[in-house]
Amino acid sequence: MAKVWLVTGASRGLGREIARAALNAGETVVATARSVEEVRNGLGAEHGLHALALDITDAKAANLVATETVERFGAIDVLVNNAGYAELGFFETFTDAEVRRQFEVNLFGTMNVARAVVPHMRARRSGLIVTISSVSGLVSNGGGSVYSASKFAIEGWMEGFAQELAPLGVRSLLVEPGMLRTDFMDRKSASFGSIDIPDYAEAIAQYRAFVDEANGNQPNDPSLLAARIVARASQDGLSSRLIFGDDALAWAGAKVDQLRQEIARSADRD
């Protein structure tokens, strides 16, 4: 029996690929983004596709989308909380408003959608929440501190929330990709700090050059990740995390090794 998917940020990038993979698997997909037209332009007139407008920072709109989806299709089997963007740059170059906007979208917007959908899943004692995080939710580097902070917050929230939901039949999957070959690093999705600080000028110039060079040349194929997510959604014994890409696996492994070393040093009382 076909499942009903609700996908946020589905007009482009990984969200669009997940929506397309689910449609190709014969699922019903409610694909959302701020612009319905962009969703339809990106996915076409696919059978099973229903496009709705949603700004995830609007809690009322999230509730309306969840209610409309359940009323029309009877359930939401899979929620893909994907919508987000990146503030890329050095922390001191961001205003307070810019930092808060990063959290408003990536964390609080994602929470809005989960808060709207989860009651329907709890009522059925069934459902899967797929949360698109990032390896940057496990590892932070210079130039990514603000973005990583929002993703670290996502990780902490969902790690605990998943344990609260598991006894009620609702499953969770945290997805932590490496660098995906999407437009995530262009100026539609990424933003840079607006404060000029000469002490950081050289390092920021190098970082922006890295971002510009990497954009469009990332090593990982988003369509492969999308297919894996759709396949996992039908599997029993679902693991709680999916780390995707050789780069992400290497960075996550190095972080684990570093933590083990620091734990061992902390335990050494001599």
Side-chain angles (χ1 to χ4, degrees), residues 111-142:
M111 286 180 168
N112 283 340
V113 180
R115 194 177 283 115
V117 171
V118 164
H120 302 286
M121 292 183 170
R122 281 194 288 102
R124 298 174 63 236
R125 292 298 193 264
S126 176
L128 169 63
I129 301 172
V130 178
T131 306
I132 306 302
S133 179
S134 167
V135 70
S136 293
L138 298 172
V139 181
S140 186
N141 296 294

Side-chain angles (χ1 to χ4, degrees), residues 9-209:
S11 61
R12 55 199 175 89
L14 179 60
R16 181 175 62 192
E17 294 300 330
I18 293 170
R20 180 177 289 128
L23 290 166
N24 289 341
E27 311 284 46
T28 297
V29 176
V30 177
T32 73
R34 285 176 294 178
S35 168
V36 169
E37 183 178 354
E38 288 188 7
V39 173
R40 290 173 177 155
N41 288 342
L43 290 167
E46 293 283 344
H47 176 70
L49 173 67
H50 303 270
L52 293 176
L54 175 60
D55 179 344
I56 65 171
T57 64
D58 185 339
K60 183 178 179 179
N63 284 324
L64 289 173
V65 164
T67 299
E68 181 177 343
T69 301
V70 172
E71 288 179 350
R72 182 167 185 175
F73 301 108
I76 299 172
D77 298 296
V78 183
L79 165 63
V80 181
N81 246 334
N82 166 76
Y85 79 105
E87 293 281 5
L88 299 176
F90 285 37
F91 170 69
E92 287 189 273
T93 69
F94 294 109
T95 65
D96 178 71
E98 288 166 340
V99 174
R100 289 180 183 275
R101 176 63 180 170
Q102 178 76 107
F103 276 78
E104 190 64 38
V105 175
N106 287 7
L107 178 62
F108 298 119
T110 301
M111 286 180 168
N112 283 340
V113 180
R115 194 177 283 115
V117 171
V118 164
H120 302 286
M121 292 183 170
R122 281 194 288 102
R124 298 174 63 236
R125 292 298 193 264
S126 176
L128 169 63
I129 301 172
V130 178
T131 306
I132 306 302
S133 179
S134 167
V135 70
S136 293
L138 298 172
V139 181
S140 186
N141 296 294
S145 59
V146 172
Y147 174 64
S148 283
S150 71
K151 290 300 188 179
F152 268 63
I154 284 284
E155 296 269 340
W157 163 56
M158 279 309 304
E159 188 171 299
F161 190 29
Q163 294 175 43
E164 296 164 6
L165 291 173
L168 303 176
V170 181
R171 302 182 299 160
S172 171
L173 176 64
L174 264 169
V175 181
E176 296 149 339
M179 297 177 70
L180 295 174
R181 206 156 46 250
T182 69
D183 57 2
F184 186 71
M185 298 176 82
D186 71 16
R187 298 308 168 92
K188 288 183 179 179
S189 295
S191 178
F192 288 88
S194 59
I195 301 172
D196 182 28
I197 298 181
D199 281 346
Y200 295 130
E202 183 177 352
I204 289 173
Q206 293 174 352
Y207 182 71
R208 288 199 176 193

